[in-house]
Amino acid sequence: SVVEPCVWIMGATKIGKDCRIKFGSVITDSFIGNNVLVDGGRIEKSSVRDFAEIGYTAQLKRTYFGERSKMLHHGYLGDAKVGQHVNIGAGVITANYDGSKKHETTIEDYAFIGTNACLVAPIVVSEGAMIAAGSTVTGKDEIPPWSLVIARPEFHVSRTKRIRWDENGWHVEQKEVPQ
């Protein structure tokens, strides 16, 4: 394995064979399998399995990350179990804390999580399911295997009201806006 300069490896961490831990990575109390790429990611109390890829500013905390799964860009997975061959897009997060306790997210094999998706735990993303970019999905929603889930708020433009701030505070103005 190759560990580049400016990498922090702390606690009870084990790194397998033929890995590449790139500049700026931080790994604490974690297991890193064989042939894993960590490219500036932060991994804490997690297990990253063989041939997985963790990219720049991606963060795993108390997460099992399956073989050949990828999270190549900024994002956060906490208290998650990720299967094999899963793709996690840029900006994906697990909202795992409800103010009093942590909840688990499960992402099954071959799932695809689109850019800027928010997975509100507890939740299970079934095998092969695709979550569309920008979706917020809660544990109340059933995600069937091999399905496409699009969960975005409806787009709305108000043509009659404008909110503005001045030295006297917030104001709502009734104003005709050109169509």
Side-chain angles (χ1 to χ4, degrees):
S1 288
V2 175
V3 178
E4 293 185 0
C6 299
V7 168
W8 289 52
I9 299 173
M10 299 174 284
T13 295
K14 181 178 178 183
I15 297 174
K17 296 178 182 178
D18 299 316
C19 295
R20 178 133 191 171
I21 313 299
K22 295 183 84 175
F23 182 92
S25 298
V26 178
I27 304 171
T28 306
D29 296 321
S30 295
F31 171 83
I32 307 297
N34 299 318
N35 297 289
V36 170
L37 170 66
V38 181
D39 188 4
R42 182 181 180 108
I43 301 168
E44 183 178 344
K45 298 178 181 174
S46 295
S47 179
V48 179
R49 308 317 286 188
D50 297 351
F51 297 98
E53 297 179 37
I54 305 297
Y56 185 70
T57 70
Q59 183 177 2
L60 305 179
K61 190 168 186 179
R62 293 179 308 276
T63 292
Y64 175 94
F65 201 77
E67 287 184 24
R68 300 186 187 279
S69 290
K70 296 179 182 183
M71 183 176 179
L72 296 176
H73 307 285
H74 172 74
Y76 172 76
L77 298 179
D79 299 297
K81 192 182 311 178
V82 178
Q84 299 177 33
H85 299 275
V86 171
N87 187 78
I88 307 290
V92 170
I93 66 158
T94 56
N96 60 321
Y97 184 58
D98 67 5
S100 63
K101 64 182 191 174
K102 306 273 183 165
H103 298 278
E104 187 174 273
T105 297
T106 300
I107 303 170
E108 295 181 352
D109 298 346
Y110 303 102
F112 181 95
I113 313 299
T115 299
N116 279 336
C118 178
L119 306 176
V120 182
I123 188 169
V124 175
V125 177
S126 296
E127 179 181 13
M130 294 180 69
I131 307 297
S135 293
T136 297
V137 185
T138 70
K140 297 174 188 169
D141 303 312
E142 180 184 347
I143 302 170
W146 303 98
S147 62
L148 169 63
V149 175
I150 302 170
R152 299 180 187 133
E154 188 175 307
F155 182 79
H156 177 75
V157 176
S158 174
R159 296 277 182 199
T160 61
K161 293 182 182 176
R162 188 177 91 174
I163 300 173
R164 68 177 179 87
W165 171 265
D166 64 21
E167 62 278 352
N168 297 319
W170 288 102
H171 301 284
V172 176
E173 294 178 337
Q174 294 292 109
K175 195 171 193 175
E176 283 299 316
V177 179
Q179 299 276 342

